[in-house]
Each structure stands twice: as C-alpha cells, then as structure tokens.
Amino acid sequence: MSDSNSPLSLNNLEMSDKAKPLLNAVIKHIRENVDPISEEFHRLAESNENRWSYHPRQTELMEGAKQKARESGLWNFFLPNAETGEGLSNLDYAYIAAELGKNPLASETLNCSAPDTGNMEVLERVGTQQQKDTWLKPLLAGEIRSAFAMTEPDVASSDAKNISTSAVLENGEWVINGEKYYISGAGDPRCKIMIVMVKTSPDAEAFRQQSQILVPMDTPGVEILGPMHVFGHDDAPHGHMHIKFTNVRVPEENMLWGEGRGFEISQVRLGPGRIHHCMRSIGQAEKALDLMIERGLSRVAFGKKIVDLGKNMETISRAKIEIESMRLLVLKAAKAMDVLGNKEARIWVSMIKAKVPEQVCDIIDQAMQVHGATGISQWSPLSGMYAQQRTLRYADGPDEVHHHVIARHEVKTYKDSNSRQTAAKAHTEARGSAGFMG
C-alpha cells in the first residue's frame, strides 16, 4: 500500500497551500459582498407581490455579488476537475464550504448551491457532449438553476429501489409517468432542467432497474401541483415542489450514462454532496454559537447576564467542543473521498450524515433557548436554520439508513477479522499436531 493510500494518510487534514489563499478570498468576499446585501435581499423577499419570483432588486443584488465573485476568480469551487472548476480536492473544498454555511446567500454567489452542485457534477462526469453543451454550460455560468427529482409520496423512498415513476421507450422517446415530491429548487423561475430518477427496467436485477433522465421543466405533461411546506413554510421562491409527470416525452438521448445506471450515478453525486451539506452545517453551527454568545452577553435577567445563568457557560463549551469534533470528522470523510474514492469512503460519509445534522440541530436549539421567544420568531434566523438542519436528517437518506450502513460495515469487519483469526489458529494447531505426530 502506498503512503498516499495508507490509513495514516487519512489523518493529514491540512488544507493544501494552493487553496489557502482561496479560502481567505472567500472569507473576504462574504464579508464585503454578501453580508452587506443580505438584509435588503431578505426584506425584499417578504414584500414581493409574487412569492414565486424574485424582486428585480433581489436579482440585481445577487447578480452583482456573483459578478464580483467571478471577477475575483471565486467560481465553481465544488468541481474537482480543473477545466470546469477550481480543481480543488474534497478536503480543500470542505474548508470553504464551512464558510459558505455562515450566510445562506454565499453559496449561490459562488455558483456552489445545491442541488446545482450535484447536478453539475453528474453532467460533468457522465453527460454526453450534447448534454453538457445544452445544460452544463449554462449551469456552470450561473445562468440557470436545476433540480433533482427522486423522492416519491407513495413509497418509502429511503430505499431507492422502491422508486416507481416509470419511463418506457416508445419510438425514440422516453415516456414518463409518476409523481415526485420535495423537489428542492423546482419552484425557482430560473430552474430549467431536472434530473429525474425513474424505473426503466422492472424485470432487471434490483440495482439495474433505475435510470436517470434529463427532463426540461417546460416539457408538456410536467405539472407542478404546489409546494411542500417545511415546518409550515413554503420556502418560496426556491420551493420543495410536488410534481406530477403525465405522459412526459423526452428524446431517447436525454438518458444519462445509459439505461439501468441510476444507482451508479447516485454514487457520483451523493458522496461530495453530503460533504458539502455537512460542512455548510458546521458553518451554521458556528453562526448559532456566535448568536448564542452575543445574546447571552447583551441581556440581563435575575441580576446577571444571561450567559452566566444556569449552565449556559457549559452549554457554550459543549457546543464549541462538538463543532470542532464534527469538523474533524467531516474533514476526515472528505480526505477519505480524495484518498479512497467515493465508494470506499461511503462509511465515513454515512458517519457524518448520521452525526452532523442531528448535532447542529441541538446547538441551534440551545441558541434559540438562550434567545427566549425571539429565538423562534422572524426576528432571528435561528428558526429557519433549525428547519433547514432538521430537514437534512432526511435529505440524502434518513439517519436510520446511515446508522445501518455503518453498523453493517462494523459487523462485517468483525466477522471477517474473527474468521481470519480462527483460520490462522486452526492452521497453527494443524501444523503443531503434524509436527508432534511426525
């Protein structure tokens, strides 16, 4: 085993020298170009007459920040391929993603927003040249948005083998029928393309039944039934939409990578995407901790600053410890992807998905408690942050699936180790017995 692939190499979590200036530039960009526009951007959203569109001034603010990012060379960091992205490793990008998580507008200003990141990575990895020219090019330029449609209302979608939306090939076209829900980003008027998980080969082996197909949003038969609410909010105009597909016809060449390769494609997008989610979540935990401390120092109750009441100092300490513990775990998962590849790193990725959103929810919940009633109101970002983190405990697989993956791996490792030890013992005993008899 080479040094670069040794287990010890997973513990080298230092950011590369070439990426450190980029991290500093991202921090500067957020401070100078994103933070100053955030309050106005969100205020305009509240007053916009059409909730499913952007106020012209919002568009102006966002495009201005995006242009400044492009001019500074801060664009498409998430793609490892240097021809289309910055050429960063997963480990390097993980450090940047943590900073992006501190402001909800930051990722889009650098063209690093989900679900576009995963969709662009899929198109860059497995798309045909025509698919890249038609969809990847405008996505990389930040001119359009996209969505990924997998989850269905009538089946347990945590087991992707259950996906039942059908696609049948007829006269050179795929005909799609079914329903999807919680399709994030499909409410955005800039969303022009979906990658849709469908069942194309119901008689094939279990992991060859599903495929992924490109479906433009304006295709006849694509009907947005309405937004799904998250904790009572519709998250307009981004939205998490309920969509019905009725005899939706797309060209045969809209198939991604080939029929029956849906699960393989998911492995291309989910590993990196989960790293990005978790590092942005850590950025949110840091933001929540800052807000908790600020509130605790600025308010007095029962003759003391709130920070000094009860166990609030210990709560701050434990939050900081958890943040740093999560950071190390996510960085190690990112390094595992760089060293071992997506497939072999899946255990590390499941560990962070099982750990991080749950723990960040706890930290945000503690910050809300320190804020009192304001913490759950529109006067604080904490309730929205909590809803987002609680939702991540379903996104890319629920907690229970990841715990099962981790435990199954540990049990198998234990059994394999025991089998080797038993075989070695039997071999030694057999040799000893033969020697004695001889």
Side-chain angles (χ1 to χ4, degrees):
M1 180 180 290
S2 67
D3 289 343
S4 63
N5 290 327
S6 69
L8 288 177
S9 71
L10 296 183
N11 293 323
N12 181 3
L13 305 178
E14 185 179 4
M15 193 178 203
S16 70
D17 288 339
K18 74 171 185 177
K20 290 175 183 175
L22 291 173
L23 175 62
N24 292 331
V26 168
I27 293 171
K28 182 174 184 287
H29 168 73
I30 295 172
R31 183 178 65 247
E32 295 181 358
N33 303 321
V34 184
D35 289 343
I37 71 170
S38 296
E39 183 178 348
E40 182 181 1
F41 187 93
H42 294 303
R43 186 176 66 251
L44 289 166
E46 294 172 3
S47 62
N48 197 16
E49 291 183 5
N50 181 1
R51 292 182 50 73
W52 299 100
S53 69
Y54 287 94
H55 188 284
R57 175 59 178 162
Q58 283 183 294
T59 301
E60 180 184 346
L61 290 170
M62 177 58 68
E63 291 302 319
K66 288 164 65 175
Q67 183 59 34
K68 290 174 182 176
R70 276 191 291 258
E71 290 171 355
S72 300
L74 308 178
W75 199 251
N76 293 336
F77 280 129
F78 64 94
L79 274 175
N81 190 321
E83 293 180 5
T84 48
E86 186 59 42
L88 299 180
S89 66
N90 286 295
L91 179 62
D92 284 342
Y93 182 70
Y95 282 94
I96 291 173
E99 295 301 322
L100 298 181
K102 296 176 182 179
N103 187 308
L105 300 182
S107 291
E108 186 176 348
T109 68
L110 275 61
N111 208 40
C112 292
S113 293
D116 299 328
T117 48
N119 291 339
M120 285 190 273
E121 188 150 15
V122 165
L123 284 165
E124 199 273 339
R125 295 287 182 271
V126 308
T128 65
Q129 191 57 52
Q130 179 183 353
Q131 291 167 350
K132 291 179 181 180
D133 289 343
T134 304
W135 301 114
L136 179 59
K137 186 176 179 180
L139 281 168
L140 287 171
E143 296 169 355
I144 64 172
R145 299 294 306 270
S146 61
F148 180 72
M150 188 187 86
T151 307
E152 298 182 2
D154 297 326
V155 299
S157 303
S158 56
D159 180 356
K161 297 190 300 296
N162 289 333
I163 296 303
S164 61
T165 294
S166 66
V168 179
L169 191 59
E170 292 182 0
N171 301 319
E173 291 182 317
W174 290 104
V175 183
I176 303 170
N177 285 280
E179 284 188 38
K180 302 286 186 179
Y181 79 151
Y182 282 105
I183 310 309
S184 297
D188 194 319
R190 300 168 300 172
C191 182
K192 303 300 181 184
I193 186 69
M194 288 182 287
I195 296 178
V196 183
M197 186 82 151
V198 293
K199 179 171 285 190
T200 50
S201 312
D203 297 325
E205 58 182 308
F207 289 96
R208 289 290 180 183
Q209 296 181 8
Q210 313 292 343
S211 302
Q212 295 190 23
I213 297 178
L214 291 162
V215 178
M217 290 295 296
D218 61 358
T219 306
V222 174
E223 180 185 4
I224 296 179
L225 299 178
M228 301 301 300
H229 289 202
V230 178
F231 289 99
H233 297 284
D234 60 11
D235 203 15
H238 183 73
H240 311 284
M241 311 310 283
H242 180 194
I243 300 177
K244 187 174 183 179
F245 299 82
T246 305
N247 294 323
V248 174
R249 291 179 174 269
V250 297
E252 184 176 0
E253 55 266 27
N254 280 29
M255 173 70 68
L256 281 167
W257 213 9
E259 185 176 346
R261 306 192 73 173
F263 281 92
E264 292 177 76
I265 295 172
S266 291
Q267 292 310 307
V268 170
R269 70 175 291 128
L270 287 183
R274 287 166 177 165
I275 297 286
H276 304 166
H277 277 319
C278 287
M279 282 308 283
R280 284 193 295 265
S281 295
I282 290 170
Q284 287 214 342
E286 291 182 302
K287 178 69 173 178
L289 179 57
D290 286 345
L291 291 171
M292 186 192 311
I293 295 171
E294 180 182 341
R295 185 74 170 190
L297 290 172
S298 65
R299 292 295 177 101
V300 174
F302 306 104
K304 293 182 178 180
K305 290 183 178 180
I306 290 176
V307 75
D308 293 319
L309 289 175
K311 296 178 67 176
N312 284 341
M313 288 294 283
E314 182 179 335
T315 297
I316 291 169
S317 169
R318 290 186 180 278
K320 179 61 176 177
I321 291 168
E322 288 294 344
I323 288 170
E324 295 308 320
S325 300
M326 289 187 291
R327 192 193 313 277
L328 290 173
L329 185 59
V330 179
L331 290 175
K332 193 162 185 176
K335 185 60 178 284
M337 289 185 61
D338 292 331
V339 173
L340 305 176
N342 290 15
K343 184 176 180 181
E344 294 302 319
R346 68 189 184 281
I347 304 304
W348 290 98
V349 174
S350 281
M351 281 194 274
I352 63 173
K353 272 297 287 142
K355 169 70 174 175
V356 173
E358 181 178 17
Q359 189 60 58
V360 174
C361 273
D362 288 344
I363 293 171
I364 296 172
D365 181 73
Q366 291 157 358
M368 288 193 291
Q369 193 69 16
V370 169
H371 278 70
T374 297
I376 59 173
S377 77
Q378 75 276 21
W379 292 356
S380 167
L382 289 167
S383 61
M385 291 163 61
Y386 182 90
Q388 181 182 2
Q389 291 304 311
R390 188 62 184 83
T391 304
L392 281 182
R393 294 182 61 188
Y394 303 110
D396 299 335
D399 297 350
E400 293 81 0
V401 170
H402 295 293
H403 283 298
H404 179 73
V405 169
I406 298 161
R408 182 179 61 191
H409 177 266
E410 288 303 299
V411 170
K412 183 180 183 300
T413 301
Y414 176 83
K415 287 181 176 178
D416 289 347
S417 177
N418 253 22
S419 295
R420 287 192 296 270
Q421 291 175 14
T422 300
K425 182 179 179 182
H427 180 66
T428 300
E429 289 175 349
R431 289 186 62 186
S433 175
F436 175 75
M437 292 300 290

